[in-house]
Amino acid sequence: MRPVEDHLADILRTVRVLAPLELDLDQALGTTLAEDVTSPVPLPPFDNSAMDGYAVRAEDVGTAPVTLPVIDDVAAGDGRLHALGPGMAVRIMTGAPMPAGADAVVPVEWTDGGTARVTIGRPVTKGNAIRSAGEDVHSGDVVLPAGTAIGPAQLGILAGVGRRRVLVRPRPRVVVISTGAELAEPGSRLAPGQIWESNSYTLIGAVREAGGEGYRAGIVADDARSFIDQLDAQMVRADAIITSGGVSMGAYEPVKEALAPLGTVRFERVAMQPGMPQGFGVVGEDQVPIFTLPGNPVSSFVSFMLFVRPALRKMQGRPAEPTPTVPAVTGAPLRSPAGKRSYLRGVLGPGGVVTPVLRQGSHQLAALAAANALIVVPEDVTELPEGAAVEVIPL
């Protein structure tokens, strides 16, 4: 059996970073920047008021309370030139440009709110309630470097520096194909010997959570020819393909039967539990990566977390590294088979204590749904007492 790290290393050596493309901002959420983005202007681009109030000279209100004449109003977006002299005030709104000669803003709450004359009850210091030009960003500053994942805040700064379009690594398009003659579509009536197909929904959700675009291709029965036909039909829209089922050692394994003769997909046993049977390689003229995962629901999901998720991150131009873990301590004794790295389903609670769920079978999807972490038990460890230090993968 191959170590987990070796199988992952082969995958990360093979998958390629997706070519960049230019997208409108409203399509860029979840993508990764493929360029450094700089600001063409300082932010804010001009001195402006941080509050509704009165623009003044600080020295004129140093002996507050004082009453000053209000000589003008300035609203946000006002492009006219405004100025005030000694002993004067200008009523100003949040975001409005500061008048020449003013060096402070008195919040309206510190005044009587007058419109012709205003009584100011408290002194202010120079710069009070003023947003200075360039205090956030200087002209020419890099506001987002290449490789940044674009979330809501990143969209905001991109718009804030005037960008309408941006060069990004797109979200990988991932097609999921489930195999098995026993599978039926959810919502249909089960025939004898059938179960409702769940893996594709789990995997599509995992793809989207990892930043990809997931497409469910439906169910393929245990027939290699039908599998190849479905694979060919899906290649046009796929940056990567995931299959579940059909890779074990028994009969009626359509994925292995169809792909093994190609010589570009390698099937092997990986020293892990659940998820020992694995396959990976490339298919088609464009050498599309294909991940052939085992069919048991928990095995399929754990395999995704360990192997597919890091590959999707690399395809997006993000760091190519194993799925991260966090330290924890066990809330109960653990057992694991010798020679395999176990990924036990558990609940990570307050204080970093992780407790295994009661049912650890690779088919027990309800137990996986109740878990929020995978407890990693190394290959050379068969037992751990309660309170032992472990690494866990948060889900």
Side-chain angles (χ1 to χ4, degrees):
M1 293 186 290
R2 298 192 77 206
V4 170
E5 290 84 359
D6 288 1
H7 187 63
L8 177 59
D10 282 350
I11 290 170
L12 294 180
R13 277 193 296 267
T14 302
V15 298
R16 297 167 294 183
V17 179
L18 295 179
L21 57 92
E22 195 174 48
L23 293 179
D24 286 339
L25 285 194
D26 57 6
Q27 298 177 315
L29 183 68
T31 62
T32 306
L33 269 179
E35 61 172 327
D36 289 342
V37 175
T38 60
S39 179
V41 297
L43 295 181
F46 50 86
D47 293 348
N48 67 90
S49 178
M51 304 183 73
D52 293 339
Y54 297 84
V56 299
R57 299 193 319 161
E59 64 184 84
D60 291 339
V61 297
T63 58
V66 297
T67 299
L68 302 176
V70 179
I71 64 166
D72 206 350
D73 279 5
V74 187
D78 191 331
R80 298 174 296 159
L81 294 177
H82 298 269
L84 61 78
M88 302 175 183
V90 168
R91 193 164 66 154
I92 194 167
M93 307 305 154
T94 302
M98 290 295 295
D103 59 15
V105 172
V106 179
V108 68
E109 293 86 358
W110 298 1
T111 75
D112 66 354
T115 56
R117 299 181 66 82
V118 61
T119 298
I120 296 169
R122 295 170 57 177
V124 294
T125 57
K126 286 185 178 182
N128 187 70
I130 294 176
R131 303 164 177 156
S132 300
E135 72 174 31
D136 187 15
V137 173
H138 294 106
S139 179
D141 280 356
V142 175
V143 294
L144 294 174
T148 300
I150 299 180
Q154 290 71 34
L155 287 176
I157 188 60
L158 287 167
V161 299
R163 296 296 293 267
R164 179 59 190 169
R165 295 175 66 81
V166 65
L167 191 68
V168 299
R169 308 282 179 184
R171 293 180 293 272
R173 300 166 302 166
V174 184
V175 172
V176 177
I177 304 173
S178 294
T179 67
E182 76 281 13
L183 302 178
E185 290 287 349
S188 66
R189 183 183 297 275
L190 289 178
Q194 285 192 317
I195 59 173
W196 286 303
E197 194 276 319
S198 62
N199 284 5
S200 66
Y201 292 94
T202 303
L203 293 170
I204 288 295
V207 166
R208 292 171 180 164
E209 198 170 62
E213 294 182 359
Y215 302 98
R216 182 175 178 269
I219 301 167
V220 175
D222 291 331
D223 175 73
R225 184 68 259 168
S226 297
F227 173 77
I228 286 292
D229 290 344
Q230 179 68 285
L231 186 64
D232 288 343
Q234 298 300 325
M235 294 283 281
V236 67
R237 63 170 177 172
D239 295 312
I241 294 170
I242 302 173
T243 69
S244 70
V247 295
S248 296
M249 302 300 293
Y252 308 110
E253 304 294 348
V255 175
K256 184 183 290 187
E257 182 182 344
L259 298 181
L262 300 181
T264 60
V265 180
R266 177 175 176 174
F267 296 92
E268 55 196 351
R269 297 190 306 157
V270 177
M272 58 185 283
Q273 182 174 298
M276 182 178 67
Q278 295 287 333
F280 172 76
V282 294
V283 291
E285 292 183 2
D286 293 331
Q287 302 223 304
V288 176
I290 184 166
F291 303 84
T292 65
L293 308 183
N296 277 321
V298 179
S299 303
S300 181
F301 177 73
V302 170
S303 300
F304 179 94
M305 293 297 294
L306 297 182
F307 304 126
V308 185
R309 188 176 184 274
L312 295 183
R313 287 181 58 83
K314 179 178 178 180
M315 294 173 75
Q316 295 171 79
R318 301 179 189 178
E321 57 192 15
T323 299
T325 62
V326 298
V329 295
T330 58
L334 305 178
R335 296 176 65 90
S336 177
K340 291 184 180 180
R341 185 177 306 176
S342 285
Y343 296 90
L344 304 175
R345 278 66 70 204
V347 176
L348 182 61
V353 177
V354 63
T355 303
V357 298
L358 293 178
R359 300 177 301 280
Q360 292 290 334
S362 60
H363 62 292
Q364 292 174 315
L365 194 54
L368 175 64
N372 66 2
L374 299 176
I375 309 169
V376 184
V377 183
E379 293 87 337
D380 58 350
V381 175
T382 57
E383 294 186 24
L384 285 173
E386 181 179 347
V390 290
E391 293 292 317
V392 302
I393 297 173
L395 302 179

